[in-house]
Amino acid sequence: MKPDTMTAELMTPEAFEQALRARGAYYHIHHPYHIAMHNGQANRQQIQGWVANRFYYQTSIPLKDAAIMANCPDPQTRRKWVQRILDHDGHADNEGGIEAWLRLGEAVGLDRKRLLSEEMVLPGVRFAVDAYVNFARRAVWQEAACSSLTELFAPQIHQARLDGWPQHYPWIEAAGYDYFRSRLSQARRDVEHGLALAKAYCTTVEKQQRMLQILQFKLDILWSMLDAMSMAYELHRPPYHTVTDQVVWHHQRLL
């Protein structure tokens, strides 16, 4: 049910944090596609499809973070936020998360050039990720920044992959797991900063309720991505499957 800000009460910072954390019930770890991967029930095509489509999300994260920084007038916040871009793009001797994800792609049997071409990115995934980047470009920077708070739930998901995938999918090369390993500490650091921003900014009922909806928007994006993958790789109903077995959808960034 949509919250009524006229009757909702202002939450303490602690209660607000708990309300944000409660949204973890809708995190994409609970999607049937992800449950199947976690339980070792996904086949090679489903794992490869997930890696290829999530790669589009990974390459869009620095664009999202750069948009937030472009709208943020506070140098102190920018100094902290830029680390997120460096984490993904790399710097000095740190290869970065995007390179680590490319190696994950290679570990599951995908060609690096094919990943970079984005030819496997499903339209539903592209639309969802692009909506996230466009939101970051247009929103108040604090709101865009706090949309990243799905990281509250991320360490659990990364650890689960590190614990379970080597046993379930012995065909995946071990070097592919470096991305998940690196995000264990990075995500916790980012959560601490994001929560501090959310608590400092959301000092009215309206802002608190809106931020909960923004977090749900981000959860909707992640869930919708898996919906698209489920249609393509589980139900064998990729886009245009009733008229062609060819990949005819667009596979380039148009915006």
Side-chain angles (χ1 to χ4, degrees):
M1 181 178 296
K2 184 177 180 180
D4 184 355
T5 57
M6 297 297 292
T7 58
E9 296 182 357
L10 181 66
M11 291 178 274
T12 65
E14 294 75 19
F16 180 50
E17 178 179 339
Q18 289 306 308
L20 291 167
R21 290 186 180 278
R23 295 282 165 154
Y26 311 110
Y27 195 44
H28 63 160
I29 195 172
H30 303 297
H31 192 285
Y33 195 98
H34 199 281
I35 291 172
M37 289 196 299
H38 174 73
N39 291 338
Q41 298 167 337
N43 60 35
R44 186 179 296 258
Q45 182 197 32
Q46 289 161 358
I47 294 289
Q48 290 179 340
W50 178 79
V51 170
N53 280 273
R54 281 283 299 194
F55 182 63
Y56 186 68
Y57 177 83
Q58 301 305 130
T59 59
S60 298
I61 290 175
L63 303 181
K64 176 268 297 183
D65 288 326
I68 292 170
M69 290 181 62
N71 292 330
C72 176
D74 178 36
Q76 184 176 357
T77 298
R78 293 199 304 268
R79 283 194 293 270
K80 288 185 177 181
W81 206 268
V82 72
Q83 185 61 51
R84 298 174 185 241
I85 297 177
L86 298 176
D87 286 344
H88 283 81
D89 285 346
H91 59 94
D93 295 331
N94 184 333
E95 65 181 6
I98 291 176
E99 174 60 28
W101 198 275
L102 282 167
R103 288 196 284 106
L104 171 62
E106 292 173 328
V108 302
L110 292 172
D111 180 77
R112 175 179 290 246
K113 290 182 179 179
R114 192 178 186 197
L115 279 174
L116 290 168
S117 75
E118 301 179 0
E119 67 181 63
M120 293 180 65
V121 180
L122 297 164
V125 170
R126 189 180 294 275
F127 296 152
V129 175
D130 288 354
Y132 184 33
V133 175
N134 287 329
F135 173 78
R137 288 171 175 158
R138 299 175 181 178
V140 175
W141 72 265
Q142 293 97 330
E143 293 183 348
C146 294
S147 68
S148 298
L149 280 174
T150 46
E151 291 161 338
L152 284 165
F153 324 117
Q156 174 189 359
I157 206 170
H158 296 316
Q159 189 62 59
R161 290 169 188 149
L162 290 168
D163 292 340
W165 279 31
Q167 287 73 40
H168 293 316
Y169 310 109
W171 53 271
I172 298 178
E173 296 177 9
Y177 296 119
D178 287 347
Y179 176 84
F180 306 134
R181 198 170 290 110
S182 68
R183 287 302 297 168
L184 288 174
S185 59
Q186 292 173 357
R188 291 189 179 98
R189 177 206 65 208
D190 293 345
V191 163
E192 183 178 346
H193 184 212
L195 275 175
L197 285 175
K199 291 177 181 178
Y201 178 70
C202 296
T203 55
T204 66
V205 172
E206 291 76 17
K207 285 182 177 179
Q208 288 181 343
Q209 294 300 323
R210 179 168 170 80
M211 196 60 72
L212 288 169
Q213 284 300 299
I214 288 170
L215 180 57
Q216 187 62 55
F217 161 72
K218 174 63 181 305
L219 292 164
D220 294 348
I221 287 168
L222 297 172
W223 196 275
S224 296
M225 290 169 62
L226 289 179
D227 281 346
M229 290 181 237
S230 183
M231 286 292 292
Y233 307 123
E234 286 187 318
L235 302 179
H236 308 293
R237 294 183 176 183
Y240 309 105
H241 70 280
T242 56
V243 293
T244 181
D245 60 357
Q246 302 298 309
V247 177
V248 297
W249 56 85
H250 72 289
H251 55 269
Q252 294 179 335
R253 293 180 190 264
L254 302 178
L255 294 175

